[in-house]
Amino acid sequence: MTSTDPPPRHTRQRAAVSAIMTTLDEFRTAQDVHAELRQRGEAIGLATVYRTLARMAADGEVDSIRTPEGVAAYRRCSAGHHHHLVCRECGRTVEITPPDLEAWTEQVGREFGFTHLDHELELFGRCPDCG
Amino acid sequence: MTSTDPPPRHTRQRAAVSAIMTTLDEFRTAQDVHAELRQRGEAIGLATVYRTLARMAADGEVDSIRTPEGVAAYRRCSAGHHHHLVCRECGRTVEITPPDLEAWTEQVGREFGFTHLDHELELFGRCPDCG
DNA sequence: ATTGTCATGAGAACCATTATCAAGTAGCGG
DNA sequence: CCGCTACTTGATAATGGTTCTCATGACAAT
């Protein structure tokens, strides 16, 4: 696991997924991406879209989240990984940027000797419209 | 929608779920709760556990999140919960206490008008023993 | 071109969750 | 207590997103 995973091969399908992800600003599910590619005339299987997006997420090429309904959604990587404030009632989501979280994560990692650190932070609440 | 839903009835099954949730500190899935109750000799159906936990979450009696794998998990509503640094390889866990997270959560809530705030934070990495 | 290896994809398998609906039970008014 | 009615329960089926299977096809180094 520490060592080099073999690099992904360059295929037409992978290029198509990569290309479409750079044109989309919002989070899309794998099913959405598959449907969109099909609509554009690309011949690509659903399983391949799932695999490719998962791989791209693992490699840091896209960000992945879970919608409140539990489905995975992907979006092209903006600079810096961010977090969300989610309404429990209606699912409305606001992007938030906690200060110093990256730095604090590194500090905690050093303190306990952990490496390859990552963090997951989500805030939950009830939005103004849901009282 | 906003107003009067009929209040839940007092049943043996609901009492059992409510009771077990007060004894558990960590997030548990509905399946976990169901298995645990069965192991304790409670006769209760899986669907009922799902329904009861969903209802309790809607009523604010428990908090609910989605794990990175996409499954729903529930935890009793309590002040002063803690967080973890988890090794991806061996599962080793260290309790951690991020500074100012409570205060920052409140501040973000006020900023966007969200109420009933809670947060979920976990750190993941590779522990010293796993290199 | 040949060959070993990885990627693809159609469909099946998987699994958490939800819907179905007949039977049981809580709670209330009499 | 009695009975009525609406709510709850639970075994099972259905749903739907995601992953697995494995035969076939494509990539890339020789």
Side-chain angles (χ1 to χ4, degrees), chain A residues 2-18:
Chain A
T2 333
S3 48
T4 49
D5 297 326
R9 286 186 179 173
H10 185 243
T11 67
R12 170 180 55 80
Q13 290 89 343
R14 183 175 188 86
V17 172
S18 188

Side-chain angles (χ1 to χ4, degrees), chain A residues 114-131:
Chain A
F114 278 59
T115 56
H116 301 80
L117 292 163
D118 193 11
H119 55 253
E120 296 187 6
L121 170 66
E122 302 291 335
L123 301 194
F124 303 94
R126 195 170 302 168
C127 79
D129 295 342
C130 295

Side-chain angles (χ1 to χ4, degrees), chain A residues 81-92:
Chain A
H81 136 151
H82 46 262
H83 307 276
H84 300 93
L85 167 58
V86 185
C87 176
R88 283 197 189 80
E89 303 298 321
C90 66
R92 176 177 159 189

Side-chain angles (χ1 to χ4, degrees), chain A:
Chain A
M1 277 290 285
T2 333
S3 48
T4 49
D5 297 326
R9 286 186 179 173
H10 185 243
T11 67
R12 170 180 55 80
Q13 290 89 343
R14 183 175 188 86
V17 172
S18 188
I20 202 174
M21 289 309 287
T22 69
T23 73
L24 296 176
D25 285 341
E26 303 297 326
F27 277 100
R28 295 293 156 85
T29 68
Q31 308 259 359
D32 289 342
V33 172
H34 179 243
E36 181 68 25
L37 284 172
R38 282 297 182 89
Q39 213 161 30
R40 296 188 184 188
E42 280 289 336
I44 187 170
L46 181 57
T48 300
V49 174
Y50 273 101
R51 273 187 301 238
T52 303
L53 286 174
R55 177 70 183 265
M56 289 174 72
D59 292 348
E61 298 177 40
V62 297
D63 283 338
S64 68
I65 62 167
R66 290 272 171 183
T67 72
E69 295 79 34
V71 308
Y74 302 86
R75 191 187 57 179
R76 72 156 180 265
C77 232
S78 55
H81 136 151
H82 46 262
H83 307 276
H84 300 93
L85 167 58
V86 185
C87 176
R88 283 197 189 80
E89 303 298 321
C90 66
R92 176 177 159 189
T93 298
V94 179
E95 270 191 27
I96 54 178
T97 48
D100 305 328
L101 187 52
E102 308 282 347
W104 179 76
T105 298
E106 290 300 321
Q107 177 195 320
V108 170
R110 277 196 301 276
E111 185 176 341
F112 293 102
F114 278 59
T115 56
H116 301 80
L117 292 163
D118 193 11
H119 55 253
E120 296 187 6
L121 170 66
E122 302 291 335
L123 301 194
F124 303 94
R126 195 170 302 168
C127 79
D129 295 342
C130 295

Side-chain angles (χ1 to χ4, degrees), chain B residues 6-130:
Chain B
R9 283 185 180 175
H10 186 239
T11 67
R12 170 180 56 79
Q13 293 88 340
R14 169 170 274 263
V17 172
S18 189
I20 202 173
M21 290 308 288
T22 69
T23 74
L24 297 175
D25 285 340
E26 303 298 327
F27 278 99
R28 294 294 155 85
T29 68
Q31 307 261 359
D32 288 342
V33 172
H34 180 243
E36 182 68 26
L37 284 171
R38 282 296 182 88
Q39 213 162 30
R40 295 187 184 189
E42 280 289 338
I44 187 171
L46 180 57
T48 300
V49 174
Y50 272 100
R51 272 187 302 237
T52 304
L53 286 174
R55 178 69 183 263
M56 290 174 72
D59 293 348
E61 298 177 38
V62 296
D63 283 338
S64 66
I65 61 164
R66 291 271 173 182
T67 72
E69 295 77 36
V71 309
Y74 301 86
R75 187 192 58 185
R76 74 155 179 264
C77 248
S78 73
H81 65 263
H82 46 265
H83 307 276
H84 299 96
L85 169 57
V86 184
C87 176
R88 283 198 189 83
E89 303 298 322
C90 67
R92 178 176 157 190
T93 298
V94 178
E95 268 191 31
I96 53 178
T97 47
D100 305 329
L101 188 51
E102 309 281 348
W104 179 75
T105 299
E106 290 300 323
Q107 175 197 321
V108 170
R110 275 196 303 276
E111 183 176 342
F112 293 102
F114 277 59
T115 55
H116 302 79
L117 291 163
D118 193 14
H119 55 255
E120 193 49 34
L121 171 66
E122 302 291 335
L123 301 194
F124 302 93
R126 193 170 304 166
C127 79
D129 295 343
C130 295

